Amino acid sequence: MDCAESQENIDLVTLTPGEKFHPDPTDFTLIVDEYEIRVHKEILKSSSDYFKAMFSSGMQENEKASICLKLVDSEAFLVIVQGFYSGVLDLNENNVFEITEAAHLLLLNSTLFSQCSDFLRLMINDESCFDVMYFCDSINLADVYTDARRYCLASFSHLRHSQSFLKLTQEQMFDYLSDKHLVVNEEIQVFEAIKKWLMKCKTTKQEISVEVVRKLVASSVCLADTYRDLDLVTNMILNETEQCKIEEVVDVLGRRERHEDVFLFWSLLNTTTADGLVDIVRLSQDSGQGVKVGSMTDVVESPGYDLGSAFCVQECCVYLSGGGPSFGKVNWIRQLYKYDLSKQVSQWQSIGELYETRRHHAMMAVGSKLYIFGGFGKFRLKNLKLDCFDIISGTWEALPVAPTHEIKPAATADQHRIYYMDRAHNVHCFDIAIRQWSTLTPSGLSCVHLPVAIFASQQKPGVLLAVLDGPEMLHVVSVCVKTDGTKQECEVQHKTELEKTGKYEGSVMANHKLLIFEGSDVDRTKSGEFVDFDPITQVVTFCTESKTVVGTSETNIKKALAVMSVPYLPPAFPTGSLRPEPSPHGKI
């Protein structure tokens, strides 16, 4: 459309956004909706590849004194053209999507466009993460899309309660819940999330057919037997009048395939020259080789070798509490720290302060709370207390004391219970719902083997995998805790003996495999280089399904005090998740 035609019967508002920044007379006019914007061609060309191409030789716009710009909305463009001169885009949560889309169409230079990207990253939170994710998907903004998608996948357990989740469209629900990297603590959470979303749809008069619900269940809920249970679970979700018992739902749910990374904290690589355990390392589970991905110096500037800190994992966040770099001295780590691995680049963040100092204790994460027990405090006083820290409110609560005192307790969390095994092989269980401890004794375990680790096996609730360390053998023991009302039983289901080739230096469960780190005792009486720790030499991989050793590999990791498995999230996600694929005939 010719500018003269567009101005007919319209009183244009004349603006000169570069008046304060550029002393030369303007040489071009842009007409956008009701605005006549007088600008400088050179500023447009240097700020936007769209205008640079427009004013290149051979383009008819290069010969004109004005053009009508229909590509973008006037409100967004006014912010952008002001940014051409000031170098700053005036962004807020109400205009950022519109301005970013306009900036994308106008091919703004990296200096300006990065302001949009940076602002969108700041909006990756519980209220806006889905909006950011699907907006960035629509304009192919791949780097911010990846950051938002990693956050959404990692935060499912609490996002499912948010209004932003309930506002997802049908297509977005399929895309989100069917992602194989969705971090799910308990499979029933997916069932409950779909049911809650459907109830919200009905209150807003959205019609969701039975077939759509059936497909959603098939694509996103892991069932014990899909052929047998798909219609049953679909009906459970659709039935509003009948309340489903959790036990009935759990019985038909299957085991979700796990995708986990292994990270080592307070660690040291062969290639690192440091007087202390300074590295954060990602382990290749196939080769046993580690790659440094971060540092512990944000927690302690000069780490030692016997820190005594406790670690635990909740979703993609690793938490650290207590310990310190100088054993026996007043040099404690008093802050609680979080390391968020859903972020591409993470740093240690303080989230609170310990209720009281501790070393060589245990810490478990359940929901939004951290549970700390065992170990000792100042003057090596034994600590039987169970302290609970609420991550959201930042408050502490004292709970019933532990039945026994343990140094470096072999502990784990499963569902809504905390377990630890004492030196006599009693299994102690703290039920968070009723706030009570119970003690069970599995039979058939040798007292010469000390419990050094215990894991929730992920097979089904109450099935635990314990690692017992003896003089010449390691025992990997499957223990089942059965709860029927108020009655509890504990029995050993299976026990595997593994011959030790070195000193036990730690273990971790990841991807249905138990990785065991073995090392060698250092003879410190011999002359030569002083080593203040017993070095790791190899990683043994034990398959929990076949109950056999499936691999042994040498490692470049010299030492690690904490080995944690964390849900795996890809480093990049391609955009276009909601765009329909072209048909074989080229039509959509």
Side-chain angles (χ1 to χ4, degrees):
M1 180 184 293
D2 188 273
C3 280
E5 295 178 38
S6 69
Q7 293 178 36
E8 188 177 350
N9 299 322
I10 296 178
D11 292 327
L12 295 176
V13 178
T14 301
L15 300 174
T16 53
E19 193 171 30
K20 293 189 296 183
F21 303 94
H22 203 294
D24 295 340
T26 59
D27 57 0
F28 196 71
T29 301
L30 291 168
I31 297 173
V32 185
D33 297 336
E34 72 273 23
Y35 295 102
E36 181 183 64
I37 308 169
R38 295 178 181 175
V39 292
H40 302 81
K41 278 187 180 181
E42 286 304 315
I43 293 294
L44 297 182
K45 289 164 64 177
S46 65
S47 303
S48 161
D49 284 350
Y50 175 85
F51 288 115
K52 185 177 181 180
M54 176 186 290
F55 298 132
S56 63
S57 58
M59 297 292 288
Q60 61 178 352
E61 287 86 355
N62 194 35
E63 306 301 323
K64 293 183 177 181
S66 66
I67 64 164
C68 292
L69 188 64
K70 298 289 186 180
L71 191 63
V72 295
D73 176 79
S74 60
E75 288 189 18
F77 186 71
L78 289 174
V79 174
I80 288 173
V81 76
Q82 184 68 42
F84 286 170
Y85 288 94
S86 68
V88 178
L89 296 175
D90 185 15
L91 300 170
N92 57 59
E93 293 187 3
N94 296 321
N95 68 14
V96 64
F97 295 125
E98 190 174 30
I99 290 172
T100 303
E101 185 171 15
H104 173 72
L105 292 171
L106 294 172
L107 303 174
L108 264 59
N109 63 36
S110 59
T111 302
L112 287 170
F113 194 81
S114 64
Q115 296 178 36
C116 297
S117 299
D118 292 344
F119 195 93
L120 288 170
R121 284 192 176 91
L122 294 175
M123 291 177 61
I124 300 176
N125 51 48
D126 288 3
E127 291 76 27
S128 308
C129 56
F130 291 112
D131 291 335
V132 173
M133 179 170 73
Y134 288 117
F135 168 75
C136 292
D137 182 52
S138 69
I139 66 167
N140 293 313
L141 189 52
D143 53 346
V144 183
Y145 171 73
T146 288
D147 290 347
R149 193 166 188 91
R150 285 170 64 95
Y151 180 91
C152 290
L153 293 173
S155 308
F156 165 73
S157 67
H158 64 270
L159 282 179
R160 65 194 177 97
H161 299 298
S162 68
Q163 289 299 311
S164 58
F165 172 79
L166 297 178
K167 292 177 182 177
L168 291 180
T169 66
Q170 180 179 306
E171 292 78 12
Q172 290 169 346
M173 278 290 288
F174 272 95
D175 170 70
Y176 177 54
L177 291 185
S178 64
D179 194 306
K180 67 179 181 180
H181 298 294
L182 186 72
V183 178
V184 178
N185 295 330
E186 303 171 35
E187 195 59 36
I188 195 170
Q189 291 178 346
V190 186
F191 172 93
E192 293 170 342
I194 297 174
K195 195 174 182 71
K196 193 172 183 179
W197 175 75
L198 281 174
M199 292 175 62
K200 177 67 174 181
C201 289
K202 289 183 179 180
T203 61
T204 56
K205 309 299 182 184
Q206 297 180 60
E207 291 295 330
I208 307 294
S209 69
V210 175
E211 187 57 29
V212 166
V213 176
R214 191 175 187 275
K215 289 180 179 178
L216 184 56
V217 171
S219 67
S220 58
V221 182
C222 294
L223 303 175
D225 186 327
T226 302
Y227 180 80
R228 181 194 68 196
D229 300 327
L230 179 56
D231 289 331
L232 174 63
V233 173
T234 300
N235 291 332
M236 285 179 171
I237 288 175
L238 289 168
N239 196 330
E240 295 180 36
T241 58
E242 184 180 333
Q243 282 285 355
C244 301
K245 292 183 178 179
I246 291 179
E247 295 79 7
E248 293 175 353
V249 180
V250 171
D251 283 344
V252 296
L253 297 179
R255 185 174 66 176
R256 182 172 289 257
E257 186 64 30
R258 299 179 70 85
H259 305 273
E260 293 170 312
D261 258 337
V262 172
F263 289 86
L264 301 95
F265 300 87
W266 293 135
S267 64
L268 196 66
L269 289 175
N270 285 331
T271 54
T272 304
T273 57
D275 187 19
L277 306 177
V278 297
D279 295 335
I280 300 173
V281 172
R282 179 190 288 114
L283 178 76
S284 168
Q285 296 167 55
D286 296 324
S287 69
Q289 298 298 296
V291 176
K292 182 175 178 178
V293 295
S295 175
M296 300 299 301
T297 56
D298 289 341
V299 177
V300 173
E301 186 176 350
S302 301
Y305 293 100
D306 182 10
L307 279 297
S309 302
F311 290 80
C312 65
V313 173
Q314 177 68 314
E315 296 168 347
C316 290
C317 292
V318 175
Y319 294 92
L320 176 157
S321 69
S326 300
F327 186 77
K329 297 180 181 179
V330 183
N331 197 2
W332 300 82
I333 298 172
R334 300 178 183 275
Q335 299 294 312
L336 283 162
Y337 286 96
K338 179 177 77 169
Y339 194 82
D340 188 350
L341 285 160
S342 70
K343 297 179 180 178
Q344 295 280 29
V345 178
S346 187
Q347 292 182 327
W348 288 104
Q349 174 190 356
S350 174
I351 60 169
E353 188 167 321
L354 275 177
Y355 184 67
E356 56 185 324
T357 53
R358 292 205 198 212
R359 294 184 189 271
H360 299 308
H361 52 294
M363 177 170 63
M364 296 292 116
V366 182
S368 63
K369 296 182 179 180
L370 302 177
Y371 296 83
I372 294 175
F373 64 96
F376 55 86
K378 289 183 178 179
F379 315 114
R380 293 188 64 85
L381 292 176
K382 295 179 180 179
N383 198 325
L384 286 165
K385 297 177 183 177
L386 173 61
D387 293 326
C388 173
F389 178 76
D390 190 312
I391 297 170
I392 297 173
S393 67
T395 57
W396 286 94
E397 180 182 8
L399 297 172
V401 298
T404 64
H405 176 258
E406 303 296 324
I407 300 295
K408 300 180 183 178
T412 190
D414 185 33
Q415 302 289 318
H416 300 289
R417 294 184 175 91
I418 296 169
Y419 298 92
Y420 78 91
M421 182 178 282
D422 65 21
R423 290 171 174 263
H425 301 136
N426 297 306
V427 175
H428 303 281
C429 170
F430 182 75
D431 190 315
I432 293 170
I434 62 175
R435 299 189 170 201
Q436 287 183 2
W437 286 99
S438 58
T439 299
L440 302 166
T441 304
S443 59
L445 298 180
S446 170
C447 288
V448 298
H449 286 76
L450 296 178
V452 288
I454 191 168
F455 306 98
S457 71
Q458 308 300 329
Q459 293 176 357
K460 60 181 180 180
V463 177
L464 311 174
L465 199 72
V467 180
L468 311 180
D469 185 20
E472 297 178 352
M473 308 287 290
L474 284 175
H475 284 187
V476 181
V477 182
S478 178
V479 178
C480 181
V481 179
K482 297 179 181 178
T483 303
D484 183 12
T486 57
K487 183 181 178 182
Q488 281 189 316
E489 296 178 352
C490 183
E491 62 179 17
V492 174
Q493 292 186 323
H494 193 275
K495 181 169 62 176
T496 304
E497 291 185 348
L498 303 180
E499 186 175 353
K500 292 169 61 176
T501 58
K503 183 180 178 182
Y504 174 84
E505 292 289 345
S507 57
V508 67
M509 278 274 290
N511 302 307
H512 306 298
K513 292 182 175 64
L514 176 66
L515 305 181
I516 302 170
F517 294 78
E518 292 187 344
S520 59
D521 291 318
V522 174
D523 187 352
R524 295 181 175 85
T525 64
K526 291 185 178 181
S527 61
E529 183 181 355
F530 174 73
V531 179
D532 200 20
F533 55 85
D534 299 322
I536 295 171
T537 56
Q538 66 178 12
V539 183
V540 178
T541 303
F542 177 82
C543 179
T544 59
E545 294 179 338
S546 65
K547 297 177 177 59
T548 58
V549 173
V550 295
T552 301
S553 55
E554 294 183 356
T555 182
N556 62 339
I557 301 164
K558 292 170 68 174
K559 187 66 175 176
L561 296 185
V563 190
M564 314 300 296
S565 63
V566 182
Y568 169 76
L569 294 175
F573 288 93
T575 56
S577 59
L578 291 186
R579 289 178 215 133
E581 296 181 3
S583 70
H585 304 291
K587 296 181 179 179
I588 296 177

